[in-house]
Amino acid sequence: MAVEFAKGSVKFDPAQNSRALRAWRHLQQSVNVDSLRFTHDQVSDRFLHGRHQNEPVASLTEKLISGEVLAQDITPLVVVESVGKLWVVFGNRRLKALKDFSSRTERKVQAVCIVHTRNIPPPLMAKLLISTSTENGGTFAPFRPRWGRYPVPIRPVALPRPAHDLSSSFVSAAARAAPAEPSVEKARALAQAKEADALKRRRACDKPTPVAEPPAAGASDLNAAQWTDVATEA
């Protein structure tokens, strides 16, 4: 909706419409450039419209410093008062040249502006809303880089894979040479077998040595002699 309303805002800019200067002459006034705010986060380094068309913004600054051009001779800026601040809707590049001129000469510079404070036309208010991109309250706006508002990200280039990858060959050879690790089930079965064998050996060592019973009364003399020999050996 705002974009549709803003389409007719060009007629309010004297740099693009010569009739605007006569139509809004009653709102024209001189404003200290320190009180004016940028609506853009960055500005182009060349003018697109008006008497300075295709001229570098820095060139206008130099002309202001040398006195070749006077601040009051610059095409009036179109300003909208909102939230107690003066926002430049048309003329951010002109404001850039004037602010740089003021900063370099350390002088108070007055800019001629058409200031809309009350009964602001809807197209002009819509233009303010859609064009405001500043992130520092409009106090400063650098020149926009030649490649655009934001740098183009560099995409990583995928390098071609060699026909024979030596690193993968070394890994494969090492994997073949390394002994295979036993599985968990095999390791558990081996441990249980070792434990059972050790238990069997302990039981064999713990068995008591059999002791021969003495012959009953009335046994033969041979049996008595055998028992005596066994007892003696024990």
Side-chain angles (χ1 to χ4, degrees), residues 117-193:
T117 57
R118 297 179 181 179
N119 300 323
I120 301 173
L124 200 57
M125 180 57 73
K127 176 65 176 178
L128 172 65
L129 294 176
I130 66 173
S131 64
T132 301
S133 58
T134 179
E135 297 180 354
N136 54 31
T139 57
F140 177 74
F143 285 120
R144 184 177 303 146
R146 288 298 180 90
W147 54 78
R149 176 167 294 181
Y150 303 105
V152 178
I154 300 176
R155 297 183 179 179
V157 179
L159 298 177
R161 185 176 179 179
H164 184 66
D165 192 349
L166 296 178
S167 60
S168 60
S169 300
F170 290 147
V171 172
S172 301
R176 289 194 299 269
E181 296 182 359
S183 61
V184 178
E185 291 77 8
K186 289 184 179 180
R188 186 181 294 112
L190 183 61
Q192 290 176 353

Coordinates of all heavy atoms in Angstrom, one line a residue, residues 117-193:
T117 N 5.5 20.2 7.8 CA 5.3 19.9 9.2 C 3.9 19.5 9.5 O 3.6 18.6 10.4 CB 5.7 21.1 10.0 OG1 4.9 22.2 9.6 CG2 7.2 21.4 9.9
R118 N 2.9 20.1 8.8 CA 1.5 19.8 9.0 C 0.8 19.4 7.7 O 1.3 19.9 6.7 CB 0.8 21.0 9.7 CG 1.3 21.4 11.1 CD 0.6 22.6 11.6 NE 1.1 23.0 12.9 CZ 0.6 24.0 13.6 NH1 -0.4 24.8 13.0 NH2 1.1 24.3 14.8
N119 N -0.2 18.6 7.9 CA -1.0 18.2 6.7 C 0.0 17.7 5.6 O -0.1 18.1 4.4 CB -1.8 19.4 6.1 CG -2.8 19.9 7.1 OD1 -3.4 19.1 7.9 ND2 -3.0 21.2 7.1
I120 N 0.8 16.8 6.0 CA 1.8 16.2 5.1 C 1.1 15.3 4.0 O 0.3 14.5 4.4 CB 2.8 15.3 5.9 CG1 3.5 16.1 6.9 CG2 3.8 14.7 4.9 CD1 4.4 15.3 7.9
P121 N 1.3 15.6 2.7 CA 0.7 14.8 1.7 C 1.0 13.3 1.8 O 2.1 12.9 2.1 CB 1.3 15.4 0.4 CG 1.8 16.8 0.8 CD 2.2 16.6 2.2
P122 N -0.1 12.5 1.7 CA 0.1 11.0 1.8 C 1.3 10.4 1.0 O 2.0 9.6 1.4 CB -1.2 10.4 1.4 CG -2.2 11.5 1.7 CD -1.5 12.8 1.4
P123 N 1.4 10.8 -0.3 CA 2.6 10.3 -1.1 C 3.9 10.6 -0.5 O 4.8 9.8 -0.5 CB 2.4 11.0 -2.5 CG 1.0 11.3 -2.6 CD 0.6 11.7 -1.2
L124 N 4.0 11.8 0.1 CA 5.3 12.2 0.7 C 5.6 11.4 2.0 O 6.7 11.0 2.2 CB 5.3 13.7 1.0 CG 6.7 14.4 1.2 CD1 7.5 14.1 -0.1 CD2 6.5 15.9 1.4
M125 N 4.5 11.2 2.8 CA 4.7 10.4 4.0 C 5.0 8.9 3.6 O 5.8 8.3 4.3 CB 3.4 10.5 4.8 CG 3.5 9.7 6.1 SD 4.9 10.1 7.2 CE 4.3 11.7 7.8
A126 N 4.4 8.4 2.6 CA 4.6 7.0 2.1 C 6.1 6.9 1.7 O 6.7 5.9 1.9 CB 3.7 6.6 1.0
K127 N 6.6 7.9 1.0 CA 8.0 7.9 0.5 C 8.9 7.9 1.7 O 9.9 7.2 1.7 CB 8.2 9.1 -0.3 CG 9.7 9.3 -0.8 CD 10.1 8.2 -1.7 CE 11.5 8.5 -2.2 NZ 12.0 7.4 -3.1
L128 N 8.6 8.6 2.8 CA 9.4 8.6 4.0 C 9.5 7.2 4.6 O 10.5 6.8 5.0 CB 8.8 9.6 5.0 CG 9.5 9.6 6.4 CD1 10.9 10.1 6.3 CD2 8.7 10.6 7.3
L129 N 8.3 6.6 4.6 CA 8.3 5.3 5.3 C 9.0 4.2 4.5 O 9.8 3.4 5.1 CB 6.8 4.8 5.4 CG 5.9 5.7 6.4 CD1 4.5 5.2 6.3 CD2 6.5 5.7 7.8
I130 N 8.9 4.2 3.2 CA 9.6 3.1 2.4 C 11.1 3.4 2.1 O 11.8 2.5 1.8 CB 8.8 2.8 1.1 CG1 9.0 4.0 0.2 CG2 7.4 2.5 1.4 CD1 8.4 3.8 -1.2
S131 N 11.5 4.7 2.2 CA 12.9 5.0 1.9 C 13.8 5.1 3.1 O 15.0 5.1 2.9 CB 12.9 6.3 1.1 OG 12.5 7.4 2.0
T132 N 13.2 5.1 4.3 CA 14.1 5.2 5.5 C 14.8 3.9 5.8 O 14.1 2.8 6.0 CB 13.2 5.6 6.7 OG1 12.6 6.8 6.5 CG2 14.1 5.7 7.9
S133 N 16.1 3.9 5.7 CA 16.9 2.7 5.9 C 18.1 3.0 6.9 O 18.9 2.1 7.1 CB 17.5 2.2 4.6 OG 18.3 3.2 3.9
T134 N 18.1 4.2 7.4 CA 19.2 4.5 8.3 C 19.2 3.7 9.6 O 18.1 3.3 10.1 CB 19.2 6.0 8.7 OG1 20.2 6.3 9.6 CG2 17.9 6.4 9.3
E135 N 20.4 3.4 10.1 CA 20.5 2.6 11.3 C 21.2 3.4 12.4 O 21.5 2.9 13.5 CB 21.3 1.3 11.1 CG 20.6 0.4 10.1 CD 21.3 -0.9 9.8 OE1 22.5 -1.0 10.3 OE2 20.8 -1.8 9.2
N136 N 21.4 4.7 12.2 CA 22.1 5.5 13.2 C 21.4 6.8 13.5 O 22.0 7.8 13.9 CB 23.6 5.9 12.7 CG 23.6 6.5 11.4 OD1 22.7 7.2 11.0 ND2 24.7 6.3 10.6
G137 N 20.0 6.8 13.3 CA 19.2 8.0 13.5 C 19.4 9.1 12.5 O 19.0 10.2 12.7
G138 N 20.0 8.7 11.3 CA 20.1 9.7 10.3 C 21.3 10.7 10.4 O 21.3 11.7 9.7
T139 N 22.1 10.5 11.4 CA 23.2 11.4 11.7 C 24.3 11.3 10.7 O 25.1 12.3 10.5 CB 23.8 11.2 13.1 OG1 24.2 9.9 13.2 CG2 22.7 11.5 14.1
F140 N 24.5 10.2 10.0 CA 25.6 10.0 9.1 C 25.2 9.0 8.0 O 24.5 8.0 8.3 CB 26.9 9.5 9.8 CG 28.0 9.2 8.9 CD1 28.8 10.3 8.4 CD2 28.4 7.9 8.7 CE1 29.8 10.0 7.5 CE2 29.5 7.6 7.8 CZ 30.2 8.7 7.3
A141 N 25.7 9.2 6.8 CA 25.5 8.2 5.7 C 26.7 8.2 4.8 O 27.0 9.2 4.2 CB 24.3 8.6 4.9
P142 N 27.5 7.1 4.8 CA 28.6 7.0 3.9 C 28.2 6.8 2.4 O 27.0 6.5 2.1 CB 29.3 5.7 4.4 CG 28.2 4.9 5.0 CD 27.2 5.9 5.5
F143 N 29.2 6.9 1.5 CA 28.9 6.6 0.1 C 28.7 5.1 -0.1 O 29.4 4.3 0.6 CB 30.1 7.1 -0.7 CG 30.1 8.6 -0.9 CD1 31.2 9.3 -0.5 CD2 29.0 9.3 -1.5 CE1 31.3 10.7 -0.7 CE2 29.1 10.7 -1.7 CZ 30.2 11.4 -1.2
R144 N 27.8 4.8 -1.0 CA 27.5 3.4 -1.3 C 28.7 2.9 -2.2 O 29.1 3.5 -3.1 CB 26.2 3.3 -2.0 CG 25.8 1.9 -2.3 CD 24.4 1.9 -3.0 NE 23.4 2.6 -2.1 CZ 22.5 3.4 -2.6 NH1 22.3 3.5 -3.9 NH2 21.6 4.0 -1.8
P145 N 29.2 1.7 -1.8 CA 30.2 1.1 -2.7 C 29.7 0.9 -4.1 O 28.5 0.7 -4.4 CB 30.5 -0.3 -2.0 CG 30.0 -0.1 -0.6 CD 28.9 0.8 -0.7
R146 N 30.7 0.8 -5.0 CA 30.3 0.7 -6.5 C 29.6 -0.6 -6.8 O 28.9 -0.7 -7.7 CB 31.6 0.8 -7.3 CG 32.1 2.3 -7.4 CD 31.1 3.2 -8.0 NE 31.6 4.6 -8.1 CZ 32.3 5.1 -9.1 NH1 32.6 4.3 -10.1 NH2 32.7 6.3 -9.1
W147 N 29.9 -1.7 -5.9 CA 29.3 -3.0 -6.2 C 27.9 -3.1 -5.7 O 27.3 -4.2 -5.8 CB 30.2 -4.1 -5.7 CG 30.5 -4.0 -4.2 CD1 29.7 -4.3 -3.2 CD2 31.8 -3.5 -3.7 NE1 30.4 -4.0 -2.0 CE2 31.6 -3.5 -2.3 CE3 33.0 -3.1 -4.2 CZ2 32.7 -3.1 -1.4 CZ3 34.0 -2.7 -3.4 CH2 33.8 -2.7 -2.0
G148 N 27.4 -2.1 -5.0 CA 26.1 -2.1 -4.5 C 26.0 -1.8 -3.0 O 27.0 -1.5 -2.4
R149 N 24.8 -1.9 -2.5 CA 24.7 -1.6 -1.1 C 25.4 -2.5 -0.2 O 26.0 -2.1 0.8 CB 23.2 -1.6 -0.7 CG 22.9 -1.3 0.7 CD 21.4 -1.0 1.0 NE 21.0 0.2 0.3 CZ 19.8 0.8 0.4 NH1 18.9 0.1 1.0 NH2 19.5 1.9 -0.3
Y150 N 25.4 -3.8 -0.5 CA 26.0 -4.8 0.4 C 27.0 -5.6 -0.5 O 26.6 -6.0 -1.7 CB 25.0 -5.7 1.0 CG 24.0 -5.0 1.9 CD1 22.7 -4.8 1.5 CD2 24.4 -4.4 3.1 CE1 21.8 -4.1 2.2 CE2 23.5 -3.7 3.9 CZ 22.2 -3.5 3.4 OH 21.3 -2.8 4.2
P151 N 28.2 -6.0 0.0 CA 29.1 -6.8 -0.8 C 28.5 -8.1 -1.3 O 27.7 -8.7 -0.5 CB 30.3 -7.0 0.1 CG 30.1 -6.0 1.2 CD 28.7 -5.7 1.3
V152 N 28.8 -8.6 -2.5 CA 28.3 -9.8 -3.0 C 29.1 -11.0 -2.3 O 30.4 -10.9 -2.4 CB 28.4 -9.9 -4.5 CG1 28.0 -11.3 -5.0 CG2 27.7 -8.8 -5.1
P153 N 28.5 -11.9 -1.6 CA 29.3 -13.0 -1.0 C 30.0 -13.9 -2.0 O 29.4 -14.1 -3.1 CB 28.2 -13.8 -0.3 CG 26.9 -13.5 -1.0 CD 27.0 -12.1 -1.5
I154 N 31.2 -14.3 -1.7 CA 32.0 -15.1 -2.6 C 31.7 -16.5 -2.3 O 31.8 -17.0 -1.2 CB 33.5 -14.8 -2.4 CG1 33.8 -13.4 -2.7 CG2 34.3 -15.8 -3.3 CD1 35.2 -13.0 -2.4
R155 N 31.2 -17.2 -3.4 CA 30.8 -18.6 -3.2 C 32.1 -19.5 -3.2 O 33.0 -19.3 -4.1 CB 29.9 -19.1 -4.3 CG 28.5 -18.3 -4.2 CD 27.6 -18.8 -5.3 NE 26.3 -18.1 -5.2 CZ 25.3 -18.4 -6.1 NH1 25.5 -19.3 -7.0 NH2 24.2 -17.7 -5.9
P156 N 32.2 -20.5 -2.3 CA 33.4 -21.4 -2.4 C 33.4 -22.2 -3.6 O 32.3 -22.7 -4.1 CB 33.2 -22.2 -1.1 CG 31.7 -22.2 -0.8 CD 31.3 -20.8 -1.3
V157 N 34.5 -22.4 -4.2 CA 34.7 -23.2 -5.4 C 35.1 -24.6 -5.0 O 36.0 -24.9 -4.3 CB 35.8 -22.6 -6.3 CG1 36.0 -23.5 -7.6 CG2 35.4 -21.2 -6.7
A158 N 34.3 -25.6 -5.5 CA 34.6 -27.0 -5.2 C 35.7 -27.5 -6.1 O 35.7 -27.4 -7.3 CB 33.3 -27.8 -5.5
L159 N 36.8 -27.9 -5.5 CA 38.0 -28.4 -6.2 C 37.7 -29.8 -6.7 O 37.1 -30.7 -6.0 CB 39.2 -28.4 -5.3 CG 39.6 -27.1 -4.7 CD1 40.8 -27.2 -3.8 CD2 40.0 -26.2 -5.9
P160 N 38.2 -30.1 -8.0 CA 37.9 -31.5 -8.5 C 38.7 -32.5 -7.7 O 39.9 -32.3 -7.3 CB 38.4 -31.4 -9.9 CG 39.4 -30.2 -9.9 CD 38.9 -29.3 -8.9
R161 N 38.1 -33.7 -7.5 CA 38.8 -34.8 -6.8 C 39.7 -35.5 -7.7 O 39.3 -35.8 -8.8 CB 37.7 -35.7 -6.2 CG 38.3 -36.8 -5.3 CD 37.2 -37.7 -4.7 NE 37.8 -38.7 -3.9 CZ 37.0 -39.6 -3.2 NH1 35.7 -39.5 -3.3 NH2 37.6 -40.5 -2.5
P162 N 41.0 -35.8 -7.3 CA 41.9 -36.5 -8.2 C 41.4 -37.9 -8.5 O 40.6 -38.5 -7.7 CB 43.2 -36.5 -7.4 CG 42.8 -36.3 -6.0 CD 41.6 -35.4 -6.0
A163 N 41.9 -38.4 -9.7 CA 41.4 -39.7 -10.1 C 41.8 -40.8 -9.1 O 41.1 -41.8 -8.9 CB 42.0 -40.1 -11.5
H164 N 43.0 -40.7 -8.5 CA 43.5 -41.7 -7.5 C 43.8 -40.9 -6.2 O 44.8 -40.2 -6.1 CB 44.7 -42.4 -8.0 CG 45.2 -43.5 -7.1 ND1 44.4 -44.6 -6.9 CD2 46.3 -43.6 -6.4 CE1 45.1 -45.4 -6.0 NE2 46.2 -44.8 -5.7
D165 N 42.9 -41.1 -5.3 CA 43.1 -40.4 -4.0 C 44.0 -41.2 -3.1 O 43.7 -42.3 -2.6 CB 41.7 -40.2 -3.3 CG 41.8 -39.3 -2.1 OD1 43.0 -39.0 -1.7 OD2 40.8 -38.9 -1.6
L166 N 45.3 -40.8 -2.9 CA 46.3 -41.5 -2.1 C 45.9 -41.7 -0.7 O 46.1 -42.7 -0.1 CB 47.6 -40.8 -2.2 CG 48.3 -40.8 -3.6 CD1 49.6 -40.0 -3.6 CD2 48.4 -42.2 -4.2
S167 N 45.2 -40.6 -0.1 CA 44.9 -40.7 1.3 C 43.9 -41.8 1.5 O 44.0 -42.6 2.5 CB 44.3 -39.3 1.7 OG 43.1 -39.0 1.0
S168 N 42.9 -42.0 0.6 CA 41.9 -43.0 0.8 C 42.6 -44.4 0.6 O 42.2 -45.4 1.2 CB 40.8 -42.8 -0.2 OG 41.2 -42.9 -1.5
S169 N 43.6 -44.5 -0.3 CA 44.3 -45.8 -0.5 C 45.0 -46.2 0.8 O 45.0 -47.3 1.2 CB 45.2 -45.7 -1.7 OG 44.5 -45.3 -2.9
F170 N 45.7 -45.2 1.4 CA 46.4 -45.5 2.6 C 45.5 -45.9 3.7 O 45.7 -46.9 4.5 CB 47.2 -44.3 3.1 CG 48.4 -43.9 2.2 CD1 48.8 -42.6 2.0 CD2 49.1 -45.0 1.5 CE1 49.8 -42.3 1.2 CE2 50.1 -44.7 0.7 CZ 50.5 -43.3 0.5
V171 N 44.3 -45.3 3.8 CA 43.4 -45.7 4.8 C 42.8 -47.1 4.6 O 42.7 -47.9 5.5 CB 42.2 -44.7 4.9 CG1 41.1 -45.1 5.8 CG2 42.7 -43.3 5.3
S172 N 42.6 -47.4 3.3 CA 42.0 -48.7 3.0 C 43.1 -49.8 3.3 O 42.8 -50.9 3.8 CB 41.6 -48.8 1.5 OG 40.6 -47.8 1.3
A173 N 44.4 -49.5 3.0 CA 45.4 -50.5 3.2 C 45.6 -50.7 4.7 O 45.8 -51.8 5.2 CB 46.7 -50.0 2.6
A174 N 45.6 -49.6 5.5 CA 45.7 -49.8 7.0 C 44.6 -50.5 7.6 O 44.8 -51.3 8.5 CB 45.8 -48.4 7.6
A175 N 43.4 -50.3 7.0 CA 42.2 -51.1 7.5 C 42.3 -52.6 7.3 O 42.0 -53.4 8.1 CB 40.9 -50.5 6.9
R176 N 42.9 -52.9 6.1 CA 43.1 -54.3 5.7 C 44.2 -55.0 6.6 O 44.1 -56.1 7.0 CB 43.4 -54.5 4.3 CG 42.2 -54.2 3.3 CD 42.5 -54.7 1.9 NE 43.7 -54.0 1.4 CZ 43.7 -52.9 0.7 NH1 42.5 -52.3 0.4 NH2 44.8 -52.4 0.2
A177 N 45.2 -54.2 6.9 CA 46.3 -54.8 7.7 C 46.0 -54.9 9.1 O 46.6 -55.8 9.8 CB 47.6 -53.9 7.5
A178 N 45.2 -54.1 9.7 CA 44.8 -54.1 11.1 C 44.0 -55.4 11.4 O 43.1 -55.8 10.7 CB 44.1 -52.9 11.5
P179 N 44.4 -56.1 12.5 CA 43.6 -57.3 12.9 C 42.2 -56.9 13.3 O 41.9 -55.9 13.9 CB 44.3 -57.8 14.1 CG 45.1 -56.6 14.7 CD 45.4 -55.8 13.5
A180 N 41.3 -57.8 12.9 CA 39.9 -57.5 13.2 C 39.6 -57.7 14.7 O 40.0 -58.6 15.3 CB 39.0 -58.5 12.4
E181 N 38.9 -56.8 15.2 CA 38.6 -56.8 16.6 C 37.4 -57.8 16.8 O 36.5 -57.8 16.1 CB 38.2 -55.4 17.2 CG 39.3 -54.5 17.1 CD 39.0 -53.1 17.7 OE1 37.8 -53.0 18.1 OE2 39.8 -52.2 17.7
P182 N 37.5 -58.6 17.9 CA 36.4 -59.6 18.2 C 35.1 -58.8 18.5 O 35.2 -57.7 19.1 CB 36.9 -60.4 19.3 CG 37.9 -59.5 20.0 CD 38.5 -58.7 18.9
S183 N 34.0 -59.4 18.2 CA 32.8 -58.8 18.5 C 32.5 -58.9 20.0 O 33.2 -59.7 20.7 CB 31.6 -59.5 17.7 OG 31.5 -60.9 18.1
V184 N 31.5 -58.2 20.5 CA 31.2 -58.2 21.9 C 30.7 -59.6 22.4 O 31.1 -60.1 23.4 CB 30.1 -57.2 22.2 CG1 29.7 -57.2 23.6 CG2 30.5 -55.8 21.8
E185 N 29.9 -60.3 21.5 CA 29.5 -61.6 21.9 C 30.6 -62.6 22.0 O 30.7 -63.4 23.0 CB 28.4 -62.1 20.9 CG 27.1 -61.4 20.9 CD 27.2 -60.0 20.2 OE1 28.3 -59.8 19.6 OE2 26.3 -59.2 20.3
K186 N 31.5 -62.6 21.0 CA 32.7 -63.5 21.1 C 33.6 -63.2 22.3 O 34.1 -64.1 22.9 CB 33.5 -63.4 19.8 CG 32.8 -63.9 18.6 CD 33.7 -63.8 17.3 CE 33.0 -64.4 16.1 NZ 33.8 -64.4 14.9
A187 N 33.8 -62.0 22.6 CA 34.6 -61.6 23.7 C 34.0 -62.1 25.0 O 34.7 -62.6 25.9 CB 34.8 -60.1 23.8
R188 N 32.6 -62.0 25.1 CA 31.9 -62.4 26.4 C 32.0 -63.9 26.5 O 32.3 -64.5 27.6 CB 30.5 -62.0 26.3 CG 29.7 -62.3 27.6 CD 28.3 -61.8 27.5 NE 28.2 -60.4 27.5 CZ 27.7 -59.7 26.4 NH1 27.4 -60.4 25.3 NH2 27.7 -58.4 26.4
A189 N 31.8 -64.6 25.4 CA 31.9 -66.1 25.4 C 33.3 -66.6 25.8 O 33.5 -67.5 26.5 CB 31.5 -66.7 24.0
L190 N 34.4 -65.9 25.3 CA 35.7 -66.3 25.6 C 36.0 -66.1 27.1 O 36.7 -66.9 27.7 CB 36.7 -65.4 24.7 CG 38.2 -65.8 24.9 CD1 38.5 -67.2 24.5 CD2 39.0 -64.8 24.0
A191 N 35.5 -65.0 27.6 CA 35.8 -64.7 29.0 C 35.1 -65.7 29.9 O 35.6 -66.1 30.9 CB 35.3 -63.3 29.4
Q192 N 33.8 -66.1 29.5 CA 33.1 -67.1 30.3 C 33.8 -68.4 30.2 O 33.8 -69.2 31.3 CB 31.7 -67.2 29.7 CG 30.8 -66.0 30.0 CD 29.4 -66.1 29.4 OE1 29.2 -67.0 28.6 NE2 28.6 -65.1 29.7
A193 N 34.3 -68.8 29.1 CA 35.0 -70.1 29.0 C 36.3 -70.1 29.9 O 36.6 -71.1 30.5 CB 35.4 -70.4 27.5

